Amino acid sequence: MAYPDELLVEGEQVVLHTHPHWKMLIGPVVVFLVVVGAAAFLAALVSAQSWAAIAWIALAALAVLVVARFTVLPFLRFRTTHFVVTTRRVLVREGVVSRSGMDIPMSRINTVQFRHTILERMLGCGTLVVESASDDPLEFADIPDVERVHTLLYQEVADPHD
């Protein structure tokens, strides 16, 4: 899904648009599987009881609440978080109901660094560190293919084609 062109200024082009790495969804998927498994197990346990229908409704309601909070919300957060590099700036947008954003002009970026652990290297992600002219370094975690993003960002910073 491309970043909306109406949010770009005239002459600005998207170089990279990505969401966080899929590893941030591992926990929500595990929660989903555990909740569905536990709810099915408990539903089978109470099936012989006279109050089974009430227990099934309560189990289903509880399972839906837990899945909504610990699976659906993180997935929506994942889908609505954008890391965008354009020819003029770095944009970060996040949020489901209330949105927040940050723009860093390329001209203000001094240093671009990355780091990743051995697990992150195997998964193909890492943390991107952007140091701008007057601010503390900004760290963006769970960036997919962080080395490529680092190279692209450095290339955009070093190439003053504006």
Side-chain angles (χ1 to χ4, degrees):
M1 178 178 173
Y3 195 73
D5 288 337
E6 65 267 8
L7 299 178
L8 303 177
V9 297
E10 187 177 326
E12 185 176 25
Q13 296 177 341
V14 173
V15 176
L16 172 80
H17 174 217
T18 189
H19 296 282
H21 193 266
W22 57 264
K23 83 170 186 168
M24 75 178 290
L25 296 176
I26 293 172
V29 168
V30 169
V31 167
F32 176 78
L33 294 174
V34 167
V35 167
V36 168
F41 177 75
L42 292 173
L45 278 180
V46 299
S47 64
Q49 305 300 321
S50 61
W51 43 269
I54 295 170
W56 288 342
I57 291 171
L59 280 170
L62 182 62
V64 165
L65 287 174
V66 171
V67 165
R69 167 63 181 92
F70 295 104
T71 300
V72 175
L73 278 178
F75 177 75
L76 289 175
R77 208 170 292 121
F78 167 81
R79 289 298 302 159
T80 59
T81 299
H82 302 270
F83 182 82
V84 182
V85 177
T86 72
T87 52
R88 295 187 180 184
R89 57 191 167 151
V90 174
L91 299 95
V92 178
R93 300 287 186 268
E94 55 190 3
V96 178
V97 176
S98 63
R99 305 262 310 144
S100 64
M102 175 186 351
D103 295 4
I104 307 168
M106 290 293 178
S107 60
R108 302 220 5 152
I109 296 175
N110 292 338
T111 308
V112 182
Q113 303 172 18
F114 72 91
R115 67 174 175 269
H116 44 191
T117 64
I118 186 102
L119 178 63
E120 289 174 330
R121 288 180 69 186
M122 289 189 290
L123 293 174
C125 64
T127 301
L128 187 70
V129 181
V130 177
E131 199 172 314
S132 62
S134 62
D135 298 325
D136 291 333
L138 299 168
E139 295 190 8
F140 304 103
D142 296 330
I143 301 293
D145 200 7
V146 71
E147 289 187 52
R148 183 178 68 88
V149 175
H150 170 264
T151 302
L152 281 171
L153 188 53
Y154 177 77
Q155 187 175 10
E156 288 299 319
V157 169
D159 184 20
H161 56 302
D162 287 325

